[in-house]
Amino acid sequence: MAVMEFELIERYFTNAGSERADVLLGVGDDAAILAPPYDCELVVSTDTLVAGIHFFADVDPFSLGHKTLAVNLSDMAAMGARPAWVTLALTIPQVDEQWLDGFSRGFSRLAQQYGVQLVGGDTTCGPLSITVQAMGFVTQGQAWRRDTAKIGDLIYVTGTLGDAGLALQAKQQTLSFTQPHFAELLSRLEQPTPRITEALALNGLVNAAIDLSDGLLSDLGHILTASGVGALIELEALPLSAAFRACQSDDTVPQQPDTFWQALPLSAGDDYELCFTIAPEQKGSVEERLSQQGLVAHCIGVIDGGPGLRCVQKNGELYQSEQSGYEHFQ
Ligand code: ADP
Ligand code: MG
């Protein structure tokens, strides 16, 4: 490793985030030494973000630092895990200190917010690409999985759906919605909130869960396939943000067909909300725990014997969708 790289790591990435007592040795040696709690299971996940595929190469580096970590913490939330440690493999085309400064500040701020420490990584030269590995803990046997939804379970989603997708459409089709609605939607795309707080609040109450990275139809579909069940969801019950609704009725923008607005909350990716199922008798406890902490999740449907995922419209008819979600190899 060149001296230059060493200085960069020292300056921007040495033990960024929280300082944790369970990190016996962090950045600087050949590997980190970590001490997981003896009574927990270790939950590990990795996600890569590639310029031009997962983000615009010219995106604000602070937002990118935030999002890179957020998508990985979202996987921890989807497992019901408390995140602890992350590693960062960074491939950059050149040393741009202003970019590194913004990126590391966005990354570190979010890490600090959730008590996470950056304990190691790798820095190389090449086309911009970022890989994070996240590690967290769950109480033995308590992790949330995709293959454990039961017939009769209620299906919930946190937050609101379609905001990130609408921001992306607005950027790509250059629909210009009125501020501050557009700013709010853009922050949902560029700085998503990993639903860690919601996940920790629901500890012990959830049967199955996934985070919504590729769109509700696609991601809930994974729960159904893994669990060997079906589901019925109500389109009217899908939670939409005030900003989303305001854009929908913004008559300064060329009119989009109804199908455009219907498809976004179902099929657009990048929301990073949680979709989880609970036994119906847990409804009261779930809603009480969430409201105690000022958190929000809405019931959107029910797990049944199938077949597959069916969406009911307000008029009682089934909704037929053409898209199912984002597919990388399509
Ligand atoms: P080695 O050549 O022994 O693999 P490296 O030069 O890759 O060592 O890294 C030196 C130290 O800096 C290691 O502790 C590694 O974990 C850490 N490191 C390198 N790049 C990053 C990064 N982007 N973020 C956090 N830690 C990093
Ligand atoms: Mg290395």
Side-chain angles (χ1 to χ4, degrees):
M1 181 177 66
V3 175
M4 179 67 167
E5 283 166 44
F6 187 79
E7 281 172 10
L8 286 182
I9 295 164
E10 180 72 24
R11 189 167 313 151
Y12 298 111
F13 299 114
T14 294
N15 301 331
S18 293
E19 200 175 312
R20 295 180 60 99
D22 54 14
V23 177
L24 308 184
L25 187 61
V27 170
D29 210 310
D30 290 308
I33 308 176
L34 309 169
Y38 73 95
D39 56 348
C40 283
E41 287 162 353
L42 184 63
V43 179
V44 180
S45 77
T46 298
D47 249 321
T48 295
L49 275 76
V50 178
I53 309 275
H54 301 95
F55 59 91
F56 299 100
D58 63 350
V59 70
D60 158 49
F62 184 92
S63 294
L64 185 60
H66 175 108
K67 184 161 180 175
T68 308
L69 181 58
V71 303
N72 281 276
L73 296 186
S74 177
D75 283 325
M76 291 288 111
M79 299 301 291
R82 180 182 296 280
W85 311 310
V86 288
T87 61
L88 168 65
L90 190 59
T91 304
I92 43 177
Q94 75 268 322
V95 172
D96 175 344
E97 294 231 27
Q98 211 179 333
W99 188 93
L100 282 165
D101 179 63
F103 180 87
S104 64
R105 281 189 297 107
F107 193 98
S108 298
R109 186 190 63 166
L110 188 65
Q112 223 146 30
Q113 214 172 322
Y114 291 102
V116 167
Q117 184 170 340
L118 179 62
V119 297
D122 201 18
T123 307
T124 53
C125 185
L128 183 57
S129 162
I130 309 154
T131 298
V132 170
Q133 181 175 56
M135 290 157 276
F137 315 130
V138 290
T139 309
Q140 278 169 19
Q142 294 291 305
W144 299 347
R145 306 166 51 125
R146 299 178 180 187
D147 59 0
T148 41
K150 308 255 177 329
I151 292 177
D153 277 5
L154 302 176
I155 305 166
Y156 278 75
V157 291
T158 58
T160 55
L161 301 178
D163 297 325
L166 181 54
L168 187 63
Q169 290 287 323
K171 286 190 85 161
Q172 287 176 336
Q173 300 189 29
T174 59
L175 305 174
S176 55
F177 295 115
T178 330
Q179 298 286 6
H181 303 306
F182 182 65
E184 193 183 323
L185 297 171
L186 195 64
S187 90
R188 294 267 294 151
L189 175 67
E190 294 187 343
Q191 294 190 24
T193 303
R195 297 303 186 186
I196 297 288
T197 315
E198 287 78 355
L200 296 178
L202 295 171
N203 193 342
L205 296 174
V206 166
N207 279 352
I210 193 165
D211 67 325
L212 300 179
S213 51
D214 297 334
L216 179 66
L217 293 184
S218 164
D219 291 322
L220 176 54
H222 295 318
I223 289 187
L224 304 184
T225 305
S227 300
V229 294
L232 192 65
I233 62 173
E234 285 178 45
L235 293 192
E236 277 297 294
L238 300 184
L240 304 176
S241 69
F244 186 99
R245 289 181 193 280
C247 291
Q248 193 171 2
S249 54
D250 186 341
D251 48 22
T252 66
V253 178
Q255 282 271 297
Q256 299 297 315
D258 283 352
T259 49
F260 172 89
W261 296 105
Q262 256 181 342
L264 276 174
L266 286 170
S267 304
D270 269 337
D271 280 322
Y272 296 100
E273 297 295 347
L274 293 180
C275 176
F276 59 93
T277 82
I278 61 163
E281 57 271 22
Q282 302 289 10
K283 188 177 183 5
S285 310
V286 162
E287 294 184 357
E288 192 182 308
R289 280 222 212 145
L290 290 172
S291 74
Q292 272 169 356
Q293 297 193 43
L295 305 172
V296 187
H298 289 94
C299 182
I300 61 163
V302 60
I303 297 288
D304 62 17
L309 176 53
R310 284 141 291 123
C311 311
V312 193
Q313 304 181 82
K314 198 178 182 179
N315 62 11
E317 282 172 24
L318 281 188
Y319 168 82
Q320 305 290 340
S321 85
E322 290 127 45
Q323 306 153 285
S324 61
Y326 188 74
E327 272 278 358
H328 283 276
F329 296 101
Q330 216 166 43

